[in-house]
Amino acid sequence: MNVKKIFGMNVHSYRKLKKLSQEQLAEILDISVKHVSTIETGKVFASAELIEKIAETLNVSLSALFYTPEEKSLDDSDLKKIEQIIEEETQNAIQLIKKRIHTD
């Protein structure tokens, strides 16, 4: 699925959650209803300024407008790697703190 379609589907979903019609959203955004429709169907893409305005109007993060449930979720091996990295970084931080304490 391409980014225009993902973005459009998310705009549509969040607009519905806010109980806004395409007409209402178009009025708030100061664009045509046709433009809202073509964005939601993934036929066109919004400008950066319009994307920011959509996110603000729908009260969602910018990243939420580009989210797709098809993204890879973390599995057990990913979580183990994260835990290992956290442990290593914690140990490194402890060593650095000890060095700073002894040199001050």
Side-chain angles (χ1 to χ4, degrees):
M1 187 177 302
N2 71 42
V3 71
K4 290 189 295 187
K5 288 207 180 288
I6 292 167
F7 179 79
M9 287 178 10
N10 286 325
V11 169
H12 175 83
S13 296
Y14 286 113
R15 175 179 61 78
K16 290 288 193 176
L17 284 173
K18 293 281 282 184
K19 298 183 182 349
L20 292 172
S21 66
Q22 284 186 339
E23 292 80 9
Q24 291 168 315
L25 182 59
E27 186 176 329
I28 294 167
L29 298 174
D30 196 28
I31 61 175
S32 71
V33 176
K34 183 173 174 67
H35 195 176
V36 171
S37 176
T38 57
I39 288 171
E40 287 187 357
T41 57
K43 292 179 182 166
V44 299
F45 200 60
S47 66
E49 293 82 13
L50 184 55
I51 292 169
E52 289 178 347
K53 201 169 178 182
I54 290 169
E56 184 179 299
T57 300
L58 298 177
N59 197 30
V60 297
S61 67
L62 292 171
S63 61
L65 294 174
F66 294 94
Y67 172 78
T68 174
E70 296 166 2
E71 291 179 359
K72 180 185 180 286
S73 59
L74 298 176
D75 61 20
D76 286 342
S77 68
D78 293 327
L79 295 175
K80 286 180 183 173
K81 287 178 188 174
I82 291 170
E83 288 173 1
Q84 180 182 2
I85 291 168
I86 290 171
E87 179 63 31
E88 289 170 2
E89 292 301 319
T90 301
Q91 291 304 317
N92 289 339
I94 290 170
Q95 293 303 319
L96 287 172
I97 291 169
K98 285 180 179 178
K99 280 184 184 178
R100 288 181 66 183
I101 290 172
H102 294 297
T103 60
D104 289 343

